Amino acid sequence: FSKNVVDDEISYVYIISGLAAIFLCYVLISFCFDLGIRVVMLAFLQMYAPVAVISRIMPGKAKDMFSKWLKKAIATWAEVFIRIATMYIAVYLLNLLFTNDIFSQINAQTQGFFFGTFAKIFIILGIIAFAKQAPKLLSELTGIDSGNMKLGIKDKLAAGGAFTMGAG
């Protein structure tokens, strides 16, 4: 990559690329926190499975425990794979942009480096933002509760007790 930049085969704008990289890292770290939470929830639901199955044979309101457990287990399992699938779709779309030489067509249609560069930036950041919002959209369409898929890492760190541990 650095050889291509030195040979002027690739133009690299440090400020714009740096800001885009920071945004991308922010989204990916947030995405990893969400997946980590879902995986731990699946592990807990797996450990809780015997209790839910045994509650099915008990009379009264204990029977509802199994149906609640089953609904939560299916929803959490679907959330994990929906998030992974949306990340694969985003990577596929970004790969399509770079392999099909769409960016050179954008430069030709926008008639200039400045507008073409901003068009590229907004397309890339739009795909990344879509990957972040797609699980929520799919949960609204399918009715599966997707939990909170916020963009902020601060809330996720606070929920995990990182700030309390840091203060201690």
PDB file of all heavy atoms in Angstrom, residues 4-36:
ATOM      1  N   ASN A   4       2.421   2.062  -3.396  1.00  0.00           N
ATOM      2  CA  ASN A   4       1.482   2.678  -4.334  1.00  0.00           C
ATOM      3  C   ASN A   4       1.282   4.157  -4.041  1.00  0.00           C
ATOM      4  O   ASN A   4       1.108   4.958  -4.953  1.00  0.00           O
ATOM      5  CB  ASN A   4       0.140   1.960  -4.291  1.00  0.00           C
ATOM      6  CG  ASN A   4       0.235   0.552  -4.797  1.00  0.00           C
ATOM      7  OD1 ASN A   4       1.187   0.183  -5.468  1.00  0.00           O
ATOM      8  ND2 ASN A   4      -0.738  -0.275  -4.455  1.00  0.00           N
ATOM      9  N   VAL A   5       1.318   4.542  -2.779  1.00  0.00           N
ATOM     10  CA  VAL A   5       1.193   5.959  -2.423  1.00  0.00           C
ATOM     11  C   VAL A   5       2.429   6.721  -2.872  1.00  0.00           C
ATOM     12  O   VAL A   5       2.337   7.817  -3.436  1.00  0.00           O
ATOM     13  CB  VAL A   5       0.966   6.125  -0.900  1.00  0.00           C
ATOM     14  CG1 VAL A   5       1.025   7.590  -0.497  1.00  0.00           C
ATOM     15  CG2 VAL A   5      -0.363   5.521  -0.496  1.00  0.00           C
ATOM     16  N   VAL A   6       3.631   6.135  -2.657  1.00  0.00           N
ATOM     17  CA  VAL A   6       4.879   6.787  -3.055  1.00  0.00           C
ATOM     18  C   VAL A   6       4.955   6.927  -4.570  1.00  0.00           C
ATOM     19  O   VAL A   6       5.417   7.949  -5.092  1.00  0.00           O
ATOM     20  CB  VAL A   6       6.094   6.003  -2.500  1.00  0.00           C
ATOM     21  CG1 VAL A   6       7.400   6.510  -3.085  1.00  0.00           C
ATOM     22  CG2 VAL A   6       6.122   6.088  -0.992  1.00  0.00           C
ATOM     23  N   ASP A   7       4.471   5.927  -5.307  1.00  0.00           N
ATOM     24  CA  ASP A   7       4.500   5.962  -6.774  1.00  0.00           C
ATOM     25  C   ASP A   7       3.374   6.798  -7.374  1.00  0.00           C
ATOM     26  O   ASP A   7       3.209   6.824  -8.588  1.00  0.00           O
ATOM     27  CB  ASP A   7       4.419   4.543  -7.341  1.00  0.00           C
ATOM     28  CG  ASP A   7       5.659   3.721  -7.012  1.00  0.00           C
ATOM     29  OD1 ASP A   7       6.701   4.324  -6.677  1.00  0.00           O
ATOM     30  OD2 ASP A   7       5.574   2.485  -7.076  1.00  0.00           O
ATOM     31  N   ASP A   8       2.581   7.459  -6.546  1.00  0.00           N
ATOM     32  CA  ASP A   8       1.440   8.292  -6.964  1.00  0.00           C
ATOM     33  C   ASP A   8       0.379   7.516  -7.736  1.00  0.00           C
ATOM     34  O   ASP A   8      -0.322   8.065  -8.580  1.00  0.00           O
ATOM     35  CB  ASP A   8       1.906   9.495  -7.794  1.00  0.00           C
ATOM     36  CG  ASP A   8       2.560  10.554  -6.932  1.00  0.00           C
ATOM     37  OD1 ASP A   8       2.210  10.640  -5.741  1.00  0.00           O
ATOM     38  OD2 ASP A   8       3.412  11.300  -7.453  1.00  0.00           O
ATOM     39  N   GLU A   9       0.280   6.221  -7.458  1.00  0.00           N
ATOM     40  CA  GLU A   9      -0.804   5.442  -8.047  1.00  0.00           C
ATOM     41  C   GLU A   9      -2.078   5.607  -7.230  1.00  0.00           C
ATOM     42  O   GLU A   9      -3.168   5.428  -7.740  1.00  0.00           O
ATOM     43  CB  GLU A   9      -0.408   3.961  -8.091  1.00  0.00           C
ATOM     44  CG  GLU A   9       0.755   3.672  -9.018  1.00  0.00           C
ATOM     45  CD  GLU A   9       1.220   2.225  -8.920  1.00  0.00           C
ATOM     46  OE1 GLU A   9       0.596   1.437  -8.205  1.00  0.00           O
ATOM     47  OE2 GLU A   9       2.226   1.898  -9.565  1.00  0.00           O
ATOM     48  N   ILE A  10      -1.904   5.925  -5.954  1.00  0.00           N
ATOM     49  CA  ILE A  10      -3.030   6.138  -5.056  1.00  0.00           C
ATOM     50  C   ILE A  10      -2.847   7.500  -4.409  1.00  0.00           C
ATOM     51  O   ILE A  10      -1.761   7.829  -3.929  1.00  0.00           O
ATOM     52  CB  ILE A  10      -3.084   5.066  -3.947  1.00  0.00           C
ATOM     53  CG1 ILE A  10      -3.282   3.673  -4.552  1.00  0.00           C
ATOM     54  CG2 ILE A  10      -4.178   5.372  -2.951  1.00  0.00           C
ATOM     55  CD1 ILE A  10      -3.210   2.561  -3.527  1.00  0.00           C
ATOM     56  N   SER A  11      -3.908   8.304  -4.421  1.00  0.00           N
ATOM     57  CA  SER A  11      -3.827   9.582  -3.711  1.00  0.00           C
ATOM     58  C   SER A  11      -4.353   9.379  -2.302  1.00  0.00           C
ATOM     59  O   SER A  11      -5.384   8.745  -2.099  1.00  0.00           O
ATOM     60  CB  SER A  11      -4.645  10.645  -4.442  1.00  0.00           C
ATOM     61  OG  SER A  11      -5.993  10.273  -4.493  1.00  0.00           O
ATOM     62  N   TYR A  12      -3.619   9.896  -1.349  1.00  0.00           N
ATOM     63  CA  TYR A  12      -3.969   9.697   0.050  1.00  0.00           C
ATOM     64  C   TYR A  12      -4.055  11.061   0.712  1.00  0.00           C
ATOM     65  O   TYR A  12      -3.073  11.780   0.810  1.00  0.00           O
ATOM     66  CB  TYR A  12      -2.910   8.815   0.723  1.00  0.00           C
ATOM     67  CG  TYR A  12      -3.225   8.464   2.146  1.00  0.00           C
ATOM     68  CD1 TYR A  12      -4.228   7.547   2.437  1.00  0.00           C
ATOM     69  CD2 TYR A  12      -2.540   9.042   3.205  1.00  0.00           C
ATOM     70  CE1 TYR A  12      -4.529   7.213   3.735  1.00  0.00           C
ATOM     71  CE2 TYR A  12      -2.837   8.712   4.508  1.00  0.00           C
ATOM     72  CZ  TYR A  12      -3.830   7.798   4.770  1.00  0.00           C
ATOM     73  OH  TYR A  12      -4.138   7.469   6.054  1.00  0.00           O
ATOM     74  N   VAL A  13      -5.245  11.416   1.151  1.00  0.00           N
ATOM     75  CA  VAL A  13      -5.468  12.675   1.843  1.00  0.00           C
ATOM     76  C   VAL A  13      -5.508  12.354   3.333  1.00  0.00           C
ATOM     77  O   VAL A  13      -6.445  11.701   3.803  1.00  0.00           O
ATOM     78  CB  VAL A  13      -6.786  13.334   1.376  1.00  0.00           C
ATOM     79  CG1 VAL A  13      -6.998  14.661   2.071  1.00  0.00           C
ATOM     80  CG2 VAL A  13      -6.785  13.501  -0.129  1.00  0.00           C
ATOM     81  N   TYR A  14      -4.513  12.797   4.065  1.00  0.00           N
ATOM     82  CA  TYR A  14      -4.313  12.375   5.449  1.00  0.00           C
ATOM     83  C   TYR A  14      -5.459  12.791   6.367  1.00  0.00           C
ATOM     84  O   TYR A  14      -5.924  11.995   7.171  1.00  0.00           O
ATOM     85  CB  TYR A  14      -2.991  12.930   5.987  1.00  0.00           C
ATOM     86  CG  TYR A  14      -1.797  12.323   5.290  1.00  0.00           C
ATOM     87  CD1 TYR A  14      -1.138  12.997   4.276  1.00  0.00           C
ATOM     88  CD2 TYR A  14      -1.358  11.060   5.633  1.00  0.00           C
ATOM     89  CE1 TYR A  14      -0.056  12.431   3.635  1.00  0.00           C
ATOM     90  CE2 TYR A  14      -0.274  10.483   4.998  1.00  0.00           C
ATOM     91  CZ  TYR A  14       0.371  11.182   3.995  1.00  0.00           C
ATOM     92  OH  TYR A  14       1.435  10.609   3.355  1.00  0.00           O
ATOM     93  N   ILE A  15      -5.925  14.010   6.261  1.00  0.00           N
ATOM     94  CA  ILE A  15      -6.960  14.488   7.184  1.00  0.00           C
ATOM     95  C   ILE A  15      -8.277  13.762   6.942  1.00  0.00           C
ATOM     96  O   ILE A  15      -8.892  13.232   7.870  1.00  0.00           O
ATOM     97  CB  ILE A  15      -7.143  16.014   7.041  1.00  0.00           C
ATOM     98  CG1 ILE A  15      -5.865  16.723   7.494  1.00  0.00           C
ATOM     99  CG2 ILE A  15      -8.334  16.498   7.849  1.00  0.00           C
ATOM    100  CD1 ILE A  15      -5.857  18.203   7.217  1.00  0.00           C
ATOM    101  N   ILE A  16      -8.702  13.712   5.706  1.00  0.00           N
ATOM    102  CA  ILE A  16      -9.987  13.084   5.381  1.00  0.00           C
ATOM    103  C   ILE A  16      -9.933  11.582   5.639  1.00  0.00           C
ATOM    104  O   ILE A  16     -10.834  11.003   6.241  1.00  0.00           O
ATOM    105  CB  ILE A  16     -10.376  13.393   3.918  1.00  0.00           C
ATOM    106  CG1 ILE A  16     -10.611  14.897   3.762  1.00  0.00           C
ATOM    107  CG2 ILE A  16     -11.599  12.611   3.512  1.00  0.00           C
ATOM    108  CD1 ILE A  16     -10.805  15.336   2.345  1.00  0.00           C
ATOM    109  N   SER A  17      -8.849  10.953   5.224  1.00  0.00           N
ATOM    110  CA  SER A  17      -8.711   9.510   5.442  1.00  0.00           C
ATOM    111  C   SER A  17      -8.593   9.189   6.925  1.00  0.00           C
ATOM    112  O   SER A  17      -9.125   8.181   7.394  1.00  0.00           O
ATOM    113  CB  SER A  17      -7.491   8.983   4.700  1.00  0.00           C
ATOM    114  OG  SER A  17      -7.618   9.208   3.320  1.00  0.00           O
ATOM    115  N   GLY A  18      -7.914  10.050   7.659  1.00  0.00           N
ATOM    116  CA  GLY A  18      -7.788   9.840   9.100  1.00  0.00           C
ATOM    117  C   GLY A  18      -9.124   9.943   9.811  1.00  0.00           C
ATOM    118  O   GLY A  18      -9.444   9.124  10.678  1.00  0.00           O
ATOM    119  N   LEU A  19      -9.924  10.947   9.443  1.00  0.00           N
ATOM    120  CA  LEU A  19     -11.252  11.089  10.050  1.00  0.00           C
ATOM    121  C   LEU A  19     -12.152   9.908   9.696  1.00  0.00           C
ATOM    122  O   LEU A  19     -12.893   9.399  10.540  1.00  0.00           O
ATOM    123  CB  LEU A  19     -11.902  12.399   9.616  1.00  0.00           C
ATOM    124  CG  LEU A  19     -11.258  13.677  10.169  1.00  0.00           C
ATOM    125  CD1 LEU A  19     -11.906  14.908   9.547  1.00  0.00           C
ATOM    126  CD2 LEU A  19     -11.353  13.716  11.672  1.00  0.00           C
ATOM    127  N   ALA A  20     -12.069   9.468   8.447  1.00  0.00           N
ATOM    128  CA  ALA A  20     -12.867   8.306   8.039  1.00  0.00           C
ATOM    129  C   ALA A  20     -12.412   7.049   8.780  1.00  0.00           C
ATOM    130  O   ALA A  20     -13.236   6.225   9.180  1.00  0.00           O
ATOM    131  CB  ALA A  20     -12.764   8.101   6.536  1.00  0.00           C
ATOM    132  N   ALA A  21     -11.112   6.917   8.984  1.00  0.00           N
ATOM    133  CA  ALA A  21     -10.592   5.751   9.709  1.00  0.00           C
ATOM    134  C   ALA A  21     -11.030   5.778  11.172  1.00  0.00           C
ATOM    135  O   ALA A  21     -11.366   4.736  11.736  1.00  0.00           O
ATOM    136  CB  ALA A  21      -9.073   5.719   9.615  1.00  0.00           C
ATOM    137  N   ILE A  22     -11.045   6.961  11.773  1.00  0.00           N
ATOM    138  CA  ILE A  22     -11.504   7.074  13.155  1.00  0.00           C
ATOM    139  C   ILE A  22     -12.976   6.682  13.256  1.00  0.00           C
ATOM    140  O   ILE A  22     -13.372   5.943  14.157  1.00  0.00           O
ATOM    141  CB  ILE A  22     -11.259   8.501  13.690  1.00  0.00           C
ATOM    142  CG1 ILE A  22      -9.760   8.727  13.890  1.00  0.00           C
ATOM    143  CG2 ILE A  22     -12.010   8.744  14.995  1.00  0.00           C
ATOM    144  CD1 ILE A  22      -9.379  10.160  14.178  1.00  0.00           C
ATOM    145  N   PHE A  23     -13.792   7.157  12.308  1.00  0.00           N
ATOM    146  CA  PHE A  23     -15.209   6.793  12.303  1.00  0.00           C
ATOM    147  C   PHE A  23     -15.388   5.293  12.109  1.00  0.00           C
ATOM    148  O   PHE A  23     -16.190   4.654  12.793  1.00  0.00           O
ATOM    149  CB  PHE A  23     -15.963   7.565  11.214  1.00  0.00           C
ATOM    150  CG  PHE A  23     -17.399   7.186  11.092  1.00  0.00           C
ATOM    151  CD1 PHE A  23     -18.311   7.562  12.066  1.00  0.00           C
ATOM    152  CD2 PHE A  23     -17.855   6.454  10.009  1.00  0.00           C
ATOM    153  CE1 PHE A  23     -19.644   7.211  11.960  1.00  0.00           C
ATOM    154  CE2 PHE A  23     -19.181   6.106   9.894  1.00  0.00           C
ATOM    155  CZ  PHE A  23     -20.081   6.484  10.874  1.00  0.00           C
ATOM    156  N   LEU A  24     -14.626   4.715  11.193  1.00  0.00           N
ATOM    157  CA  LEU A  24     -14.711   3.285  10.940  1.00  0.00           C
ATOM    158  C   LEU A  24     -14.308   2.482  12.175  1.00  0.00           C
ATOM    159  O   LEU A  24     -14.996   1.524  12.546  1.00  0.00           O
ATOM    160  CB  LEU A  24     -13.829   2.901   9.755  1.00  0.00           C
ATOM    161  CG  LEU A  24     -13.767   1.424   9.404  1.00  0.00           C
ATOM    162  CD1 LEU A  24     -15.135   0.925   8.952  1.00  0.00           C
ATOM    163  CD2 LEU A  24     -12.746   1.164   8.337  1.00  0.00           C
ATOM    164  N   CYS A  25     -13.237   2.874  12.831  1.00  0.00           N
ATOM    165  CA  CYS A  25     -12.812   2.175  14.055  1.00  0.00           C
ATOM    166  C   CYS A  25     -13.864   2.301  15.144  1.00  0.00           C
ATOM    167  O   CYS A  25     -14.138   1.346  15.866  1.00  0.00           O
ATOM    168  CB  CYS A  25     -11.476   2.720  14.539  1.00  0.00           C
ATOM    169  SG  CYS A  25     -10.096   2.234  13.506  1.00  0.00           S
ATOM    170  N   TYR A  26     -14.460   3.474  15.252  1.00  0.00           N
ATOM    171  CA  TYR A  26     -15.498   3.711  16.250  1.00  0.00           C
ATOM    172  C   TYR A  26     -16.687   2.774  16.017  1.00  0.00           C
ATOM    173  O   TYR A  26     -17.188   2.138  16.946  1.00  0.00           O
ATOM    174  CB  TYR A  26     -15.932   5.167  16.181  1.00  0.00           C
ATOM    175  CG  TYR A  26     -16.910   5.597  17.230  1.00  0.00           C
ATOM    176  CD1 TYR A  26     -16.523   5.732  18.549  1.00  0.00           C
ATOM    177  CD2 TYR A  26     -18.229   5.880  16.899  1.00  0.00           C
ATOM    178  CE1 TYR A  26     -17.412   6.138  19.519  1.00  0.00           C
ATOM    179  CE2 TYR A  26     -19.129   6.284  17.858  1.00  0.00           C
ATOM    180  CZ  TYR A  26     -18.717   6.420  19.167  1.00  0.00           C
ATOM    181  OH  TYR A  26     -19.608   6.811  20.116  1.00  0.00           O
ATOM    182  N   VAL A  27     -17.125   2.670  14.778  1.00  0.00           N
ATOM    183  CA  VAL A  27     -18.261   1.806  14.446  1.00  0.00           C
ATOM    184  C   VAL A  27     -17.900   0.339  14.671  1.00  0.00           C
ATOM    185  O   VAL A  27     -18.689  -0.424  15.234  1.00  0.00           O
ATOM    186  CB  VAL A  27     -18.726   2.046  12.989  1.00  0.00           C
ATOM    187  CG1 VAL A  27     -19.713   0.985  12.542  1.00  0.00           C
ATOM    188  CG2 VAL A  27     -19.349   3.419  12.855  1.00  0.00           C
ATOM    189  N   LEU A  28     -16.695  -0.070  14.272  1.00  0.00           N
ATOM    190  CA  LEU A  28     -16.302  -1.469  14.430  1.00  0.00           C
ATOM    191  C   LEU A  28     -16.139  -1.861  15.899  1.00  0.00           C
ATOM    192  O   LEU A  28     -16.525  -2.966  16.289  1.00  0.00           O
ATOM    193  CB  LEU A  28     -15.010  -1.755  13.660  1.00  0.00           C
ATOM    194  CG  LEU A  28     -15.155  -1.807  12.143  1.00  0.00           C
ATOM    195  CD1 LEU A  28     -13.799  -2.006  11.491  1.00  0.00           C
ATOM    196  CD2 LEU A  28     -16.106  -2.903  11.724  1.00  0.00           C
ATOM    197  N   ILE A  29     -15.593  -0.963  16.719  1.00  0.00           N
ATOM    198  CA  ILE A  29     -15.465  -1.260  18.152  1.00  0.00           C
ATOM    199  C   ILE A  29     -16.840  -1.376  18.781  1.00  0.00           C
ATOM    200  O   ILE A  29     -17.110  -2.288  19.579  1.00  0.00           O
ATOM    201  CB  ILE A  29     -14.590  -0.203  18.853  1.00  0.00           C
ATOM    202  CG1 ILE A  29     -13.131  -0.374  18.425  1.00  0.00           C
ATOM    203  CG2 ILE A  29     -14.708  -0.295  20.366  1.00  0.00           C
ATOM    204  CD1 ILE A  29     -12.222   0.742  18.860  1.00  0.00           C
ATOM    205  N   SER A  30     -17.744  -0.474  18.415  1.00  0.00           N
ATOM    206  CA  SER A  30     -19.108  -0.538  18.928  1.00  0.00           C
ATOM    207  C   SER A  30     -19.788  -1.833  18.486  1.00  0.00           C
ATOM    208  O   SER A  30     -20.490  -2.483  19.264  1.00  0.00           O
ATOM    209  CB  SER A  30     -19.898   0.671  18.433  1.00  0.00           C
ATOM    210  OG  SER A  30     -21.228   0.601  18.839  1.00  0.00           O
ATOM    211  N   PHE A  31     -19.555  -2.221  17.249  1.00  0.00           N
ATOM    212  CA  PHE A  31     -20.105  -3.453  16.706  1.00  0.00           C
ATOM    213  C   PHE A  31     -19.574  -4.666  17.470  1.00  0.00           C
ATOM    214  O   PHE A  31     -20.326  -5.594  17.789  1.00  0.00           O
ATOM    215  CB  PHE A  31     -19.728  -3.543  15.225  1.00  0.00           C
ATOM    216  CG  PHE A  31     -20.540  -4.496  14.441  1.00  0.00           C
ATOM    217  CD1 PHE A  31     -21.784  -4.137  13.957  1.00  0.00           C
ATOM    218  CD2 PHE A  31     -20.070  -5.763  14.164  1.00  0.00           C
ATOM    219  CE1 PHE A  31     -22.533  -5.024  13.220  1.00  0.00           C
ATOM    220  CE2 PHE A  31     -20.820  -6.656  13.431  1.00  0.00           C
ATOM    221  CZ  PHE A  31     -22.049  -6.276  12.962  1.00  0.00           C
ATOM    222  N   CYS A  32     -18.289  -4.648  17.788  1.00  0.00           N
ATOM    223  CA  CYS A  32     -17.685  -5.757  18.538  1.00  0.00           C
ATOM    224  C   CYS A  32     -18.260  -5.848  19.945  1.00  0.00           C
ATOM    225  O   CYS A  32     -18.483  -6.951  20.452  1.00  0.00           O
ATOM    226  CB  CYS A  32     -16.175  -5.597  18.583  1.00  0.00           C
ATOM    227  SG  CYS A  32     -15.380  -5.920  17.004  1.00  0.00           S
ATOM    228  N   PHE A  33     -18.501  -4.694  20.593  1.00  0.00           N
ATOM    229  CA  PHE A  33     -19.141  -4.718  21.908  1.00  0.00           C
ATOM    230  C   PHE A  33     -20.518  -5.361  21.820  1.00  0.00           C
ATOM    231  O   PHE A  33     -20.870  -6.196  22.654  1.00  0.00           O
ATOM    232  CB  PHE A  33     -19.286  -3.303  22.480  1.00  0.00           C
ATOM    233  CG  PHE A  33     -18.093  -2.823  23.233  1.00  0.00           C
ATOM    234  CD1 PHE A  33     -17.373  -1.734  22.793  1.00  0.00           C
ATOM    235  CD2 PHE A  33     -17.687  -3.457  24.400  1.00  0.00           C
ATOM    236  CE1 PHE A  33     -16.278  -1.275  23.484  1.00  0.00           C
ATOM    237  CE2 PHE A  33     -16.593  -3.008  25.105  1.00  0.00           C
ATOM    238  CZ  PHE A  33     -15.881  -1.913  24.637  1.00  0.00           C
ATOM    239  N   ASP A  34     -21.300  -4.970  20.810  1.00  0.00           N
ATOM    240  CA  ASP A  34     -22.643  -5.541  20.649  1.00  0.00           C
ATOM    241  C   ASP A  34     -22.589  -7.045  20.434  1.00  0.00           C
ATOM    242  O   ASP A  34     -23.374  -7.793  21.025  1.00  0.00           O
ATOM    243  CB  ASP A  34     -23.372  -4.877  19.478  1.00  0.00           C
ATOM    244  CG  ASP A  34     -23.848  -3.490  19.813  1.00  0.00           C
ATOM    245  OD1 ASP A  34     -24.066  -3.209  21.009  1.00  0.00           O
ATOM    246  OD2 ASP A  34     -24.006  -2.678  18.887  1.00  0.00           O
ATOM    247  N   LEU A  35     -21.674  -7.505  19.591  1.00  0.00           N
ATOM    248  CA  LEU A  35     -21.559  -8.945  19.361  1.00  0.00           C
ATOM    249  C   LEU A  35     -21.085  -9.679  20.604  1.00  0.00           C
ATOM    250  O   LEU A  35     -21.564 -10.775  20.905  1.00  0.00           O
ATOM    251  CB  LEU A  35     -20.606  -9.224  18.202  1.00  0.00           C
ATOM    252  CG  LEU A  35     -21.216  -9.111  16.821  1.00  0.00           C
ATOM    253  CD1 LEU A  35     -20.173  -9.353  15.754  1.00  0.00           C
ATOM    254  CD2 LEU A  35     -22.366 -10.059  16.645  1.00  0.00           C
ATOM    255  N   GLY A  36     -20.163  -9.089  21.334  1.00  0.00           N
ATOM    256  CA  GLY A  36     -19.688  -9.706  22.568  1.00  0.00           C
ATOM    257  C   GLY A  36     -20.806  -9.870  23.587  1.00  0.00           C
ATOM    258  O   GLY A  36     -20.922 -10.916  24.245  1.00  0.00           O
TER     259      GLY A  36
END
